[in-house]
Structures are given as structure tokens and as C-alpha cells.
Amino acid sequence: MTKKSAAFPVGLYAMLLFALVWLTLPRVFAPIERWMVGSACLVPRVASAWFGEPASAADRSALGRIRELGDLLTARVRQHDFAGAGISMKAGDDKLLCGVLSVGRRGGAGQPSELLLDHTYAELAGCREIVTKGGALLGFLLKPGVGRAIDDTYDDPARVMLCNHRDAPRLYASLLNRDGSQLRFVIKPAAVVDPAPLRVDFWDDPYRAAQLRETQQRVFTLPVTFGKQRVPGGLLVGRTRRWGYEGDGDEPPLTIGMFVTPAVEARALSHVVVWRSGDVRQPVVAAASVLRSRRRATATVYDLPGASHGRHLLVCTESVPDGAAVVQDGLFLGTARGLCLGTGLVTSFVASRQAWTLLLLPDGDTEPPIELHARVERTVDNVAWLKLTGVPLEQLARVGRGYLFTGSNGQFCPAGLWIGLAEPAVEGFNVLKVTVPMEAGPRSAEVLVGEPPR
């Protein structure tokens, strides 16, 4: 009796191949996934008629308080970020506050070395190349069609080359010793594997530099000109980080290399300041740029099964873009992932695991806001513990009780949305405890969407 061979499982191998392609090319199949998940959400969307009427914030005084805190945050951000006017930058220059859409390109110490702004090159025409924040130097505004921005056009988002970018110009800087003497040197971008983004290249007195005992000394720019580009003096670059051997007994320490940690962590930046010369007759562009979506569409947020874990269904009157902020009467609920037919899935702030750019408004009368880069480590009910990363020591020492707002987290999630109350956690000095107001049931909300097509 002959044995019949088994048939080749064509269907099984085809399914495995399809699954492999789906996993390796997620962007290609993203539209299909949106329609499949969105279609699955039609059932709870139809059943939402029996979920109850959407509720809005009943306490109007709380809404007024949130708006008051938002206005206070805006005023303090401008007051702090414009601090360089008349000191290091010319008093007659026009100041323009720009939001940061994203950071990218690894530079010195593996840190980001480029910023993408929410203003186009055309909007910033006539601005100086120097980009600052308060009294600190951040980097240089690129020009479309030149150098690193050779492929950029005037309608593209403007890019900023930070000081740790490999193509950034060297800086002439100095520090003051305890005895009042000044050490001058040249700063250049560090390598990706170096312990800090900037590195000291040349000293005016190498012998004295080798005997430096201190670290965390403030470094300021000295006036210097690179072609048509002029760097003014008196701008804070950062703080020193000594690299070498400690002294043994009476032997002095040996400094092998000196690095500089920037005054502001690039990943925590929400706003930067560009300057337009007062001689250029061009009006300053308003803060609301075409690249920053501020238009809001009405929506309703419904609880899904397991909503205690921070997942909700969003039903909107328009298409929902990925990463769009969902707001209820000034309170930031979370970000949405757009599906089909005007639906989306909302992940609350306490349930998120992404890295956030945040703004902390200290509970004081004159304290400037603190820019933070953080991630939610753990959550209990409506309380989240945030792990702060890359915050300079001088800013970390100021982190205390205050009001937490969103920083700039992409085109559809602008800075200034209130999250909750924050205070230092007992677990560590770089952990922030945040209490977020939360409600159950259907809620009336708004979603930040793009501008309608013209």
C-alpha cells in the first residue's frame, strides 16, 4: 500500500509571511490597522448612547484658576526667556519666542544637537543666527539652502544647530577661579562617546588649567566673530566637568580634560528665543505659527473596559491626528492615536510610558518655570511618579512643589496644558510625584487638530 504525501500548507505559510511583512513594515500597513481597529470601535461607539450624557467641569472656579495659572506660566516664560535683552543681546532687537517641535541628530556625548522649531524660515527671515534662552547660548539658526540646511526651503520648519553639533563653530569662552583670575579657552563639540556635550580645546594657560581643583564652574562666552557671524560676550554656555586624577595627599590633582555641560538640557526645551535686529523693518511674527496646530475640535471621551488603566475611546467630529492633545476644560487628559471615522484611542498621562517635555511652575511669586524631561515610572490610581533625566543640578535643586504643565511635545501637543499638582517624591531627588484630577464616565472634551485644507 503506497503512502500518500501530505499536502503543502500554502495557507499557513502565506499567513506567516503576511505577519512577518506586517511586523517589519508597520508604516505600510498602518492605514489597514487604523481601519480594522476603528471598525472594532464602532460597537462601543454605537452603544455610547446608553453610556450617559457627557459631563463637563462643574466647578467653574477651578476652570478660572486653571486659566489664571496658564496666563501666569506664559508671563513667566517670557520674562525668563527674554532675560538676555539689553545684557548680552542688543536692547533694540526684537525678541521672538519659538516653540520646539522636536529634537534630533546625535551630537557630543550622544545628546541631541538639532532643534526643529514651530516657525518656518520665512517667518524668521532677518533674524540673527544666535539662539538663546534667558542669558544662555543654545546654538545657531540655520539658513535654508546653506550648509547643513542645503535641502531646506523657506517654507520648511526652521532648524537650530546646537553648540554640540559636529558642524557648530568653536566658541571663545572663560571661567573665573576662586582667586578672581580668569582662564580663557576655546570650546568645541565633543565626540559622541565623551562624558559631556562640549569639550575645552585650547587654554590660554595650560599649566594653571592642569591644576584646576573645582568643577561645576560657570562658563561664559567671550566676544568673537566667525565670518559674518558674531557671538556676543557674557552668554552662559554651561558648567565645567573636570576629567582627570584626584590628588594624593599633598599632590595636586591632574586635569587631563575639561568638558562643559550645557546650561539647558536639549530634550527638555519647550521654547527658544531668536532675535531680529531693530534695523530690519519686518514685524515680529505672532506666537501662533502655522506649524503649531491650535485649532480645537469638539469630542467625547468614553471609558473602555479596563479604563482604570488609562485607555479611553475618543469620538470626534473630525479626523484625529496621532499625538493630538485631548483637553477637558483646560485639563490635559492625554494624547490620542487616530483611527478611522473620527475615532481614536486616548492614553491618559498617568498611563503613558513615553518621554515627556514638561514645564513646572513653582509655587512662588517670582520663580521662573523649570523645563523638565521625564517619563512616568509607576502609577497608583491618579498619582504618577515621574523620573527626571538630564536636568542640570542648578535646576534640579529648584524642583519643588508647583503646577505641572505640558511642554512642547510635537505639532499637536503644545506647551501650557495643565496636568496637575507636583511635589518632590520621598524616593529620590530626581523623582517627581504628580497628582492628576480624574473622573469616570463620558466627558466632553476638545482635541487639537490640524488646520482645515484651503
Side-chain angles (χ1 to χ4, degrees):
M1 183 177 179
T2 60
K3 185 177 179 181
K4 187 177 180 180
S5 60
F8 185 77
V10 178
L12 175 61
Y13 281 94
M15 291 179 61
L16 292 176
L17 179 61
F18 180 77
L20 178 62
V21 175
W22 187 299
L23 293 175
T24 54
L25 300 173
R27 293 186 179 180
V28 175
F29 292 90
I32 302 177
E33 182 182 359
R34 291 175 188 272
W35 275 96
M36 293 177 64
V37 179
S39 300
C41 290
L42 284 178
V43 176
R45 179 174 181 176
V46 173
S48 62
W50 291 275
F51 287 171
E53 291 295 327
S56 58
D59 191 354
R60 310 313 296 181
S61 61
L63 176 59
R65 178 58 174 164
I66 292 176
R67 290 178 178 173
E68 180 184 347
L69 290 174
D71 294 340
L72 181 61
L73 173 71
T74 302
R76 290 194 187 178
V77 164
R78 289 181 173 274
Q79 180 182 4
H80 173 262
D81 290 358
F82 291 164
I87 302 175
S88 301
M89 306 299 292
K90 292 184 178 180
D93 285 2
D94 293 326
K95 307 173 287 293
L96 178 58
L97 190 68
C98 297
V100 178
L101 288 180
S102 64
V103 297
R105 192 175 185 86
R106 295 176 67 196
Q111 298 296 318
S113 63
E114 282 188 5
L115 305 178
L116 197 66
L117 304 184
D118 64 352
H119 287 68
T120 63
Y121 288 106
E123 292 176 302
L124 302 182
C127 289
R128 301 183 186 274
E129 294 183 341
I130 300 297
V131 179
T132 66
K133 186 174 188 65
L137 172 66
L138 296 180
F140 307 91
L141 184 66
L142 296 179
K143 292 184 178 180
V146 179
R148 180 59 60 181
I150 187 66
D151 296 326
D152 293 352
T153 65
Y154 278 95
D155 293 329
D156 290 331
R159 284 194 291 165
V160 175
M161 177 173 59
L162 299 178
C163 294
N164 67 322
H165 195 286
R166 67 178 186 180
D167 295 335
R170 286 173 166 79
L171 301 175
Y172 189 31
S174 68
L175 60 83
L176 288 177
N177 288 320
R178 283 185 176 181
D179 57 3
S181 61
Q182 184 183 58
L183 273 175
R184 294 173 296 179
F185 45 86
V186 175
I187 299 176
K188 70 174 184 179
V192 174
V193 296
D194 282 338
L198 301 171
R199 180 168 189 160
V200 176
D201 199 9
F202 296 105
W203 297 89
D204 66 336
D205 192 338
Y207 177 76
R208 281 197 303 151
Q211 294 180 324
L212 283 176
R213 297 174 179 267
E214 299 180 21
T215 188
Q216 293 297 316
Q217 293 174 282
R218 294 198 296 176
V219 176
F220 293 92
T221 60
L222 293 173
V224 67
T225 301
F226 299 96
K228 297 182 179 179
Q229 179 173 285
R230 181 182 180 275
V231 179
L235 290 173
L236 177 65
V237 179
R239 291 182 176 269
T240 59
R241 179 175 178 180
R242 191 171 63 84
W243 192 265
Y245 296 95
E246 298 295 335
D248 184 11
D250 297 333
E251 292 293 328
L254 177 61
T255 299
I256 297 178
M258 185 70 77
F259 295 88
V260 177
T261 302
V264 183
E265 166 68 24
R267 293 173 297 177
L269 283 170
S270 291
H271 303 95
V272 299
V273 178
V274 296
W275 303 80
R276 178 176 287 128
S277 173
D279 300 331
V280 178
R281 294 186 177 182
Q282 185 170 352
V284 176
V285 182
S289 171
V290 295
L291 297 177
R292 175 68 74 185
S293 297
R294 300 183 182 273
R295 190 172 66 89
R296 299 187 179 191
T298 57
T300 305
V301 177
Y302 297 99
D303 290 343
L304 289 174
S308 58
H309 300 288
R311 311 294 184 202
H312 307 273
L313 172 65
L314 178 72
V315 178
C316 184
T317 56
E318 301 183 21
S319 298
V320 180
D322 286 342
V326 183
V327 185
Q328 181 193 17
D329 293 329
L331 173 65
F332 177 67
L333 299 181
T335 54
R337 181 192 177 200
L339 301 176
C340 65
L341 304 175
T343 59
L345 297 177
V346 180
T347 302
S348 66
F349 176 78
V350 294
S352 66
R353 292 299 179 264
Q354 69 182 70
W356 289 95
T357 300
L358 303 170
L359 286 169
L360 177 64
L361 180 64
D363 190 8
D365 295 333
T366 58
E367 288 291 323
I370 305 173
E371 291 179 316
L372 303 174
H373 181 263
R375 189 186 299 270
V376 176
E377 288 288 310
R378 63 187 180 92
T379 302
V380 177
D381 296 330
N382 65 328
V383 180
W385 281 261
L386 303 179
K387 181 66 174 296
L388 310 181
T389 57
V391 183
L393 291 177
E394 59 181 0
Q395 290 194 12
L396 197 60
R398 295 174 42 230
V399 174
R401 292 180 57 88
Y403 306 95
L404 192 66
F405 293 82
T406 59
S408 186
N409 292 277
Q411 181 180 1
F412 302 101
C413 189
L417 304 177
W418 188 64
I419 298 175
L421 301 175
E423 60 182 349
V426 180
E427 289 83 352
F429 65 93
N430 61 340
V431 179
L432 196 64
K433 180 180 177 182
V434 183
T435 304
V436 180
M438 294 182 65
E439 297 179 2
R443 280 151 287 173
S444 298
E446 295 178 318
V447 183
L448 274 79
V449 296
E451 297 298 327
R454 297 179 180 180

